Amino acid sequence: MAAVLIDGKAVSASVRAQLKEEVQALREEGITPGLAVIIVGDDDASHRYVRNKKKGCEELGIYSQVHMLPKETRMEELLSLISTLNTDPLIDGILVQLPLPKGLDEKRVIEAIDPGKDVDAFSEVNVGRIMIGNYTFLPCTPAGIIELLRHANVEIEGKECVVIGRSNIVGKPMAMLLMHANATVTICHSRTKNLSEVTRRADILVAAIGKPKFVTADMVKPGAVVIDVGMNRDENGRLCGDVDFEAVREKAGAITPVPGGVGPMTITTLLKNTVTAAKLHHASR
């Protein structure tokens, strides 16, 4: 029996409908949430993401700015723009689209963003808050995954969870959020020995390594929930995830497709963080 599909588009639409009502209520109080997105260079995938973010803002009534900078932009220019946005009262959230062109220091750029406007939750302050469980914003992809699991009525507490990938953007914060939900968590990576033995223990398996169809059916416990964060191209140039979807769906209990699974939730969580930031900024004024 094939796995239940966890439909990220449907969950995203549900969350956005609620957010739209929240934004409307804020606007009636004279508060318009504002998001500034900075993109440097001409990476096609990055520009596509930025267009989707702008479209999401328009859909919900969030004010948005998009700052497109040439790939030759110097570090000082980028930091100056961030400094201006940090003090702009119209802007509640600042996002710098990654990856940046070579020669620009991503760490310095992330740390230059006011933690109260860091709606990606990448700064050391916000990462530390997530670590101890006292957070304002959650990283967009991991938080989106938790929302997907919740909507799919997947119980996390007491479950054995395995995360493949240890990036600062997905793997590490994903493990923290699962632990906050009282799961037992293992993080696997390129140096993990006997990987398949570890992944077969997982009640919930999260694949976030950027390798097309890396997770095969023999790596999955029967009935497991499989979350595919990957966004790759297969040998035919078609979009695919980190999971061999067709094979694994016959063994898993539930699975996210690519596209249409985790992806829609990432941008929706960004919009949610922006609305949260606007509420906090208004409360402190």
Side-chain angles (χ1 to χ4, degrees):
M1 185 174 175
V4 172
L5 277 187
I6 300 176
D7 187 345
K9 288 182 180 177
V11 177
S12 172
S14 171
V15 174
R16 287 192 189 198
Q18 182 182 342
L19 278 176
K20 191 170 184 177
E21 291 181 7
E22 289 183 37
V23 172
Q24 181 60 37
L26 286 170
R27 289 176 71 122
E28 287 172 4
E29 293 178 36
I31 306 160
T32 300
L35 174 68
V37 178
I38 301 171
I39 180 166
V40 186
D42 47 17
D43 181 78
D44 286 341
S46 291
H47 276 272
R48 185 166 61 249
Y49 286 139
V50 168
R51 284 194 298 272
N52 287 338
K53 287 163 185 170
K54 190 174 189 331
K55 184 179 176 184
C57 287
E58 290 169 357
E59 177 191 328
L60 300 190
I62 294 172
Y63 168 69
S64 69
Q65 295 179 2
V66 176
H67 299 267
M68 295 188 181
L69 306 179
K71 64 182 179 182
E72 299 81 16
T73 298
R74 292 179 295 114
M75 193 71 188
E76 293 73 20
E77 294 172 286
L78 182 52
L79 293 177
S80 175
L81 173 58
I82 292 170
S83 178
T84 299
L85 294 172
N86 279 341
T87 57
D88 187 338
L90 297 178
I91 297 301
D92 299 293
I94 302 169
L95 178 149
V96 178
Q97 185 66 43
L98 303 178
L100 290 171
K102 288 181 180 177
L104 295 175
D105 186 337
E106 287 188 1
K107 186 176 184 300
R108 276 186 71 197
V109 167
I110 290 167
E111 291 308 313
I113 299 170
D114 178 345
K117 295 189 177 187
D118 171 32
V119 286
D120 256 338
F122 288 167
S123 71
E124 291 176 359
V125 168
N126 285 325
V127 170
R129 284 181 166 275
I130 293 160
M131 185 79 177
I132 62 174
N134 178 29
Y135 46 78
T136 303
F137 310 121
L138 290 173
C140 299
T141 299
I145 291 169
I146 295 293
E147 192 78 23
L148 283 177
L149 293 172
R150 189 176 69 79
H151 274 260
N153 295 314
V154 174
E155 182 68 41
I156 301 174
E157 184 170 341
K159 295 295 177 66
E160 183 141 7
C161 301
V162 173
V163 179
I164 311 176
R166 54 179 168 179
S167 74
N168 291 333
I169 294 174
V170 180
K172 291 176 187 174
M174 186 76 251
M176 292 307 308
L177 296 194
L178 289 167
M179 276 197 284
H180 288 323
N182 298 317
T184 299
V185 185
T186 303
I187 301 180
C188 297
H189 44 78
S190 58
R191 306 293 174 86
T192 300
K193 294 181 179 178
N194 304 316
L195 178 63
S196 295
E197 290 180 21
V198 180
T199 59
R200 278 195 294 269
R201 299 200 309 258
D203 301 306
I204 301 171
L205 178 62
V206 180
I209 49 170
K211 293 185 178 180
K213 302 181 182 179
F214 179 84
V215 176
T216 51
D218 65 308
M219 297 170 69
V220 176
K221 176 182 179 178
V225 176
V226 179
I227 304 294
D228 191 348
V229 183
M231 186 66 76
N232 313 296
R233 295 279 176 183
D234 66 13
E235 60 277 7
N236 300 312
R238 292 184 188 141
L239 274 177
C240 70
D242 291 348
V243 175
D244 185 351
F245 180 80
E246 294 303 330
V248 171
R249 73 182 301 193
E250 298 302 319
K251 195 172 182 182
I255 190 170
T256 58
V258 175
V262 173
M265 292 304 300
T266 298
I267 293 177
T268 296
T269 305
L270 169 71
L271 301 173
K272 187 175 182 178
N273 284 349
T274 302
V275 173
T276 298
K279 290 176 181 176
L280 291 171
H281 292 156
H282 177 70
S284 65
R285 281 169 191 160

